[in-house]
Amino acid sequence: MGAAAPRKWTRRRQKKNHGATKDQNLSIYKLRLDLSRPVSRPVISLLDKWIPIIAALNIKAFKLNFLSYTQSYYNLPSAVFLAEFLEELHLSKCRLSPVESVRFESLRTLTLEQVQVDGSTFETKMLGCPLLRRLNLYSCWDLRNVRVSEEASPGLKQFDLCDFKRIEGRGIEIDVPYLETVFISGPWIWSHRQSTFLFSRLTRLDLYSVILLSESFDLLPFGCPTLASLTLQDCSGFEEIHLASDSVKFLRISARNIPLKGVTICAPNILCFAFSAGILQIPFRRQLVVPLGWGGVNWWFLQLRRLLKALSGSQISLYLWMDGVPQEVPCSVVLGDEPPVVVWDLIATCKCRTTSWYLEFTNGLFRVCQPNRVWGGTLVSGSDRNYRLSEFQLNMLLANKNVRTDPYFWRHDLEQVHVDGQLVQLTDQSELRTRTHDGVIWLHLKWRAQKRA
């Protein structure tokens, strides 16, 4: 029930004052108040009357939300902390003052959003929530340090903390062993020196911009034996990542803002892996992203082959961003004669290069992999849906069959190319250059004697 509920209750009470009997069975399950100005006198007057109703009517869920963007806060009456039957509480733009007693004996979900509360007051409130299962803290800027303990919330399952305000020495301490999901976003210091890192039932851990220590990764496989999903996005405080886990199936690491000296990941049951850094990247279907630095063209192709061979049992999509590669990419026999790995999709973007560049690059690339489809296209000027072949696609198709690049030339292994279900005639260069397509273009390639992944 929305904000009209208190008025209904008020009318019933007015009847009592005129000799009517109060309805003892009146019950409100959910009360939500969306107000504009927390400092408006009429608003404050109404709230000071309505909020004590929460305990009197055994309301189960209460949400107080101020829509104003001002920095003013409403002083929440202490009566709300005596609502023993309240199961869900969501407060926004309120000021919580110290109280002697908190009786949230039934509270299971607590959300504080832009709430003004200090650390000691917050811990006192938590001690009165023995059944709490979910705790959400969003932009509570006065919280310098956050401590969540088993003593206060032994049954806590999910903890979300989001606050990007930078405060020197701001830290977090979590000692709730049965947590299942943790989401922390912001420059909070979290290390094993402040927390035990023992979460026997934790299945998902998402950290964004959190300050960690390298030793924290060593503790994860022992302290989190059931961890299935781990996300580390733009975190800092460490120079190396050494992670070994039999339980992790979904792993996402982004370290673009810090230099890493080394990365070792051993996760034999991984299903989805993404790793990105501020260097050339190769992402794959199933969300696999692996950085490959340009340490010489043959070294790059050898590293790519090594990576693809490790994934050869999977359905791979290969994305190449090549704006920063050298102008010349001569390939040598260093690549050897190993059979190319089957790739499902290939997407390649790069700055315009010469015909010889494309010839050399594709000759090296297709010695490493053979894509079934090559995606791309260049939007026709003045159109929002008509495309022509991209420079990469066009130069790939126009590669001269008569050119012999010993000991290998990939075009000799290509049997057919289809676009929009039609066989491409590779001899008609003008038609290839000028033909437009309705949407981005997929080249379907048929290779001779290709073994499917």
Side-chain angles (χ1 to χ4, degrees):
M1 184 177 292
R7 290 194 290 271
K8 179 179 179 182
W9 183 85
T10 302
R11 287 197 297 270
R12 289 179 179 268
R13 187 165 185 174
Q14 288 172 344
K15 289 181 180 180
K16 178 185 176 183
N17 294 335
H18 288 85
T21 302
K22 178 181 176 181
D23 187 352
Q24 299 294 334
N25 296 322
L26 179 62
S27 178
I28 300 175
Y29 179 81
K30 185 175 183 178
L31 174 62
R32 173 171 176 168
L33 303 177
D34 291 310
L35 305 168
S36 58
R37 297 182 180 179
V39 294
S40 169
R41 287 188 177 181
V43 169
I44 293 176
S45 177
L46 287 174
L47 286 176
D48 289 344
K49 294 178 181 179
W50 288 351
I51 286 181
I53 298 174
I54 297 174
L57 294 182
N58 299 334
I59 292 176
K60 304 296 184 183
F62 176 52
K63 181 174 182 179
L64 177 59
N65 181 38
F66 291 100
L67 307 178
S68 172
Y69 290 98
T70 65
Q71 294 299 318
S72 302
Y73 290 84
Y74 169 67
N75 289 311
L76 192 71
S78 59
V80 73
F81 302 109
L82 304 178
E84 299 180 8
F85 296 97
L86 195 64
E87 297 179 2
E88 180 180 346
L89 177 61
H90 187 143
L91 300 175
S92 171
K93 279 190 171 293
C94 296
R95 182 181 293 108
L96 305 186
S97 302
V99 293
E100 295 182 358
S101 177
V102 177
R103 300 178 187 173
F104 286 147
E105 297 179 3
S106 303
L107 194 67
R108 296 180 180 274
T109 300
L110 174 61
T111 300
L112 303 181
E113 185 174 359
Q114 297 185 47
V115 169
Q116 193 175 69
V117 57
D118 58 57
S120 60
T121 302
F122 172 75
E123 290 188 30
T124 302
K125 300 290 190 295
M126 293 298 297
L127 288 172
C129 310
L131 298 182
L132 194 65
R133 295 293 181 267
R134 181 171 181 175
L135 175 61
N136 306 313
L137 303 176
Y138 304 132
S139 300
C140 297
W141 297 314
D142 284 2
L143 278 177
R144 177 183 176 87
N145 295 290
V146 174
R147 183 176 184 271
V148 183
S149 67
E150 182 182 12
E151 177 187 4
S153 306
L156 191 65
K157 303 297 183 184
Q158 180 173 336
F159 175 56
D160 288 12
L161 172 63
C162 182
D163 191 341
F164 280 90
K165 184 177 181 180
R166 289 192 173 274
I167 299 177
E168 186 70 25
R170 200 176 202 187
I172 180 170
E173 182 178 346
I174 305 175
D175 292 317
V176 184
Y178 299 130
L179 269 172
E180 296 177 359
T181 303
V182 174
F183 176 96
I184 303 176
S185 184
W188 296 85
I189 300 175
W190 188 29
S191 72
H192 64 283
R193 298 172 185 174
Q194 296 167 301
S195 299
T196 59
F197 263 81
L198 296 176
F199 305 106
S200 60
R201 299 179 185 177
L202 190 68
T203 59
R204 179 169 181 175
L205 177 61
D206 292 358
L207 304 179
Y208 295 81
S209 302
V210 177
I211 303 172
L212 301 167
L213 297 179
S214 297
E215 295 87 346
S216 302
F217 298 103
D218 299 331
L219 299 174
L220 280 176
F222 307 103
C224 309
T226 61
L227 186 63
S229 177
L230 174 62
T231 297
L232 302 175
Q233 179 77 29
D234 297 330
C235 294
S236 60
F238 51 88
E239 295 181 338
E240 297 182 352
I241 297 177
H242 300 289
L243 175 65
S245 174
D246 292 334
S247 62
V248 170
K249 296 180 179 180
F250 302 91
L251 178 61
R252 305 168 188 86
I253 299 177
S254 174
R256 292 170 294 182
N257 299 327
I258 60 173
L260 289 177
K261 294 182 178 179
V263 177
T264 304
I265 297 174
C266 180
N269 296 313
I270 200 77
L271 297 177
C272 172
F273 173 49
F275 182 93
S276 59
I279 50 181
L280 293 178
Q281 300 171 0
I282 298 181
F284 297 85
R285 178 167 293 188
R286 301 170 75 181
Q287 304 299 316
L288 175 58
V289 183
V290 177
L292 295 180
W294 193 269
V297 62
N298 286 299
W299 180 89
W300 190 87
F301 282 123
L302 286 170
Q303 291 293 99
L304 177 59
R305 169 179 284 170
R306 179 184 177 187
L307 175 64
L308 294 179
K309 285 183 66 177
L311 300 169
S312 58
S314 304
Q315 182 172 293
I316 304 170
S317 288
L318 176 60
Y319 295 66
L320 297 177
W321 286 270
M322 302 177 294
D323 288 351
V325 299
Q327 293 287 343
E328 301 297 331
V329 286
C331 293
S332 69
V333 297
V334 174
L335 290 175
D337 297 324
E338 294 186 42
V341 177
V342 176
V343 170
W344 186 255
D345 294 328
L346 170 64
I347 301 174
T349 61
C350 60
K351 295 179 180 178
C352 292
R353 304 293 185 182
T354 62
T355 300
S356 61
W357 185 94
Y358 286 107
L359 179 64
E360 292 288 351
F361 183 81
T362 53
N363 198 45
L365 180 63
F366 295 145
R367 290 167 73 178
V368 172
C369 66
Q370 287 184 345
N372 290 324
R373 302 188 302 179
V374 179
W375 179 93
T378 301
L379 191 63
V380 177
S381 178
S383 173
D384 59 353
R385 59 181 301 175
N386 293 327
Y387 287 81
R388 292 192 178 97
L389 292 171
S390 68
E391 287 294 317
F392 182 86
Q393 291 173 313
L394 182 62
N395 280 275
M396 186 188 78
L397 294 179
L398 297 181
N400 191 347
K401 272 190 174 184
N402 297 322
V403 175
R404 303 288 301 185
T405 305
D406 293 329
Y408 173 83
F409 182 46
W410 65 271
R411 279 293 301 277
H412 295 297
D413 289 338
L414 184 63
E415 186 175 342
Q416 291 179 344
V417 180
H418 288 80
V419 179
D420 297 334
Q422 297 182 359
L423 181 65
V424 176
Q425 300 297 329
L426 302 179
T427 56
D428 190 351
Q429 297 188 12
S430 61
E431 198 276 338
L432 288 175
R433 292 181 182 276
T434 59
R435 182 181 176 184
T436 61
H437 302 262
D438 187 11
V440 293
I441 305 168
W442 287 99
L443 300 181
H444 294 259
L445 310 183
K446 182 180 179 181
W447 300 87
R448 292 182 174 88
Q450 184 186 78
K451 294 182 179 180
R452 300 289 175 177

